[in-house]
Amino acid sequence: MFDHDARPSPTRRGVLTGAAAITTGAVLPFPRPALAQSAPLKVGFMLPYSGTYAKLGQFIDSGFRLYVEQQGGKLGGRAITFTQVDDESKPENGTDNMNRLVSREKVDLVVGTVHSGVAMAMVKVARDTNTMLIIPNAGANDATGPLCAKNVFRTSFSNWQPNFPMGKVMFDAGHKNVATLTWRYTAGAEQMAGFKEGFTKAGGKVVEDLTLPFPEVEFQALITRIATLKPDAVHCFFAGGGAVKFVKDYAAAGLMKTIPLYGSGFLTDGTLEAQGAAAEGIKTTLHYADDLDNPQNKAFLAAFKAKVKEDGDIYAVQGFDGAALMDIGLKAVGGDAAARDKMVATMESAKIDSPRGPLSFNKAHNPIQNVYLREVRDGKNAYVSVALKDVDDPARGCKLST
Ligand code: BEZ
């Protein structure tokens, strides 16, 4: 029996298994393939359910469950059970948490995570144990670069991907000297490097890179430094609770009009209600906009609102698409996840009509997708234009071939 809404709220560092996930019955002496196929598929969510990225993790979880619910509680004809672990966005616990899901909980598929540093630990365990892993957010370039693997797919972005197009956007807007600002960890460094590549290629100059440790939110000294430097504009990466505070602090310092603030779209996605008027007018680039005019987006947002009672965002979309990709793979093998080669080959060639627009995958299993320029208008990340169409991460260092 499966009940996708039997969702206990996770506690710190605990692995949680919904009541519906516990299968009962006599233990059989020998494994029987036919029975194994009809048993529920165990999905392990390894996501942040606490800390600055808590809402991101929760929305990925809800987006994934929404898709499963729309398929009658199944993926590829297999019933699904869920287990959750709160990774707290702590890379130092990443290996242990992943091992618990794989070795103790014996999940068939892991979905995670948000934080690039935690994701790197997960990818290493997934490679060592040949566990199917879907990354529904973390952008660590290496996951679909040198560490790419047959059993690892990403339904989100590489850190390079939403930032590279912003370089030309800002240069064309007349900003020649720009300061960057971010948290000091993999995602921050890689997102700013992606931006810098696009910006210097267009002819711009980065005058200073400002950073603070993740997940600190004492922004005042950095904002003062920006006021002193007087760059033409600022490009930044923050997300979740930290992004809410940063945008409010930047607006309170009175810099929005004199030194315009730009960012990768994580700055204003899933955060606008809390940022309020402070975020109005901020321009960002991302592979999603709230008002993308396609039927999939309209249906997704309506269904998400009905289920979760909140507006969907990019994190929910990435979770939803993660389930859609697994559904495609499992359907091709009649739900038999052990038929790995055929399942993976089908996932590699998947073409999904996502709420974000057309979604396909490169040889490293990273999305090929449009990156949109958006502007915050009336509390929404409103579509402005396609900043770059069909953006494909260079997958530097990936040895997989298609
Ligand atoms: C990351 O760590 O990769 C990340 C976290 C939040 C939003 C985007 C990327």
Side-chain angles (χ1 to χ4, degrees):
M1 194 192 76
F2 167 71
D3 175 1
H4 53 264
D5 281 329
R7 180 158 35 138
S9 89
T11 54
R12 291 194 156 228
R13 306 194 61 187
V15 174
L16 299 166
T17 305
I22 301 165
T23 47
T24 55
V27 177
L28 297 173
F30 302 108
R32 303 233 315 258
L35 279 182
Q37 271 182 58
S38 58
L41 189 93
K42 289 186 80 174
V43 175
F45 285 131
M46 184 166 150
L47 293 165
Y49 293 98
S50 60
T52 201
Y53 288 161
K55 189 178 171 209
L56 287 59
Q58 193 58 63
F59 270 45
I60 289 167
D61 176 319
S62 297
F64 195 101
R65 287 176 197 260
L66 172 62
Y67 185 93
V68 173
E69 183 180 306
Q70 290 178 347
Q71 312 309 309
K74 295 183 174 176
L75 289 179
R78 278 287 283 282
I80 302 294
T81 61
F82 294 109
T83 299
Q84 296 159 288
V85 59
D86 178 5
D87 70 36
E88 303 174 87
S89 295
K90 288 191 176 161
E92 63 273 25
N93 298 337
T95 305
D96 281 356
N97 280 331
M98 180 74 173
N99 275 327
R100 278 156 75 187
L101 281 176
V102 172
S103 306
R104 201 187 305 166
E105 297 296 318
K106 302 210 182 312
V107 300
D108 300 296
L109 161 71
V110 178
V111 177
T113 188
V114 168
H115 183 288
S116 276
V118 180
M120 288 314 295
M122 296 175 74
V123 168
K124 284 173 193 152
V125 175
R127 285 168 62 100
D128 289 350
T129 58
N130 199 23
T131 302
M132 275 306 285
L133 171 63
I134 292 198
I135 304 173
N137 185 72
N141 291 339
D142 282 6
T144 52
L147 291 183
C148 68
K150 277 277 169 198
N151 53 313
V152 177
F153 281 81
R154 177 149 57 194
T155 57
S156 50
F157 55 90
S158 71
N159 283 323
W160 175 90
Q161 216 167 12
N163 287 277
F164 176 80
M166 184 52 113
K168 185 165 164 28
V169 166
M170 285 181 72
F171 187 81
D172 289 351
H175 306 307
K176 311 290 182 244
N177 298 301
V178 163
T180 71
L181 176 56
T182 189
W183 277 314
R184 203 153 52 234
Y185 83 102
T186 310
E190 291 182 348
Q191 295 212 14
M192 294 307 99
F195 164 73
K196 206 182 271 190
E197 192 182 321
F199 188 56
T200 52
K201 192 172 165 204
K205 183 169 176 232
V206 172
V207 292
E208 193 151 311
D209 294 306
L210 299 163
T211 61
L212 76 169
F214 174 86
E216 281 184 17
V217 291
E218 291 310 320
F219 299 114
Q220 212 46 57
L222 298 168
I223 290 174
T224 303
R225 176 73 188 143
I226 289 167
T228 308
L229 274 173
K230 296 191 180 40
D232 298 339
V234 169
H235 177 68
C236 70
F237 161 70
F238 293 108
V244 171
K245 177 150 191 306
F246 175 66
V247 165
K248 285 181 155 179
D249 286 1
Y250 198 83
L255 295 181
M256 283 293 187
K257 291 240 154 24
T258 48
I259 308 175
L261 181 64
Y262 292 75
S264 48
F266 313 106
L267 186 67
T268 56
D269 232 78
T271 54
L272 285 178
E273 210 180 307
Q275 286 162 337
E280 285 294 307
I282 294 180
K283 289 192 178 132
T284 60
T285 40
L286 199 68
H287 44 292
Y288 185 61
D290 293 334
D291 56 352
L292 279 185
D293 193 12
N294 68 62
Q296 291 76 20
N297 192 34
K298 288 184 180 141
F300 166 77
L301 288 174
F304 193 85
K305 185 90 175 190
K307 180 177 162 65
V308 182
K309 313 285 177 251
E310 289 195 62
D311 292 328
D313 61 12
I314 186 54
Y315 307 106
V317 169
Q318 291 167 172
F320 187 79
D321 288 343
L325 180 63
M326 262 334 283
D327 192 35
I328 288 168
L330 282 165
K331 268 192 185 127
V333 292
D336 180 9
R340 175 73 69 82
D341 289 350
K342 186 167 177 198
M343 185 172 82
V344 164
T346 309
M347 290 164 73
E348 282 171 338
S349 57
K351 296 211 183 316
I352 298 176
D353 287 323
S354 163
R356 74 184 87 177
L359 170 64
S360 59
F361 297 87
N362 69 7
K363 65 161 187 177
H365 300 174
N366 193 68
I368 301 171
Q369 56 196 344
N370 296 335
V371 170
Y372 307 99
L373 175 63
R374 314 105 52 86
E375 179 175 359
V376 180
R377 290 182 203 141
D378 298 327
K380 297 268 177 226
N381 284 296
Y383 170 89
V384 175
S385 61
V386 175
L388 199 56
K389 198 171 156 44
D390 297 332
V391 185
D392 187 2
D393 179 272
R396 292 168 185 135
C398 175
K399 299 276 190 302
L400 286 178
S401 55
T402 40

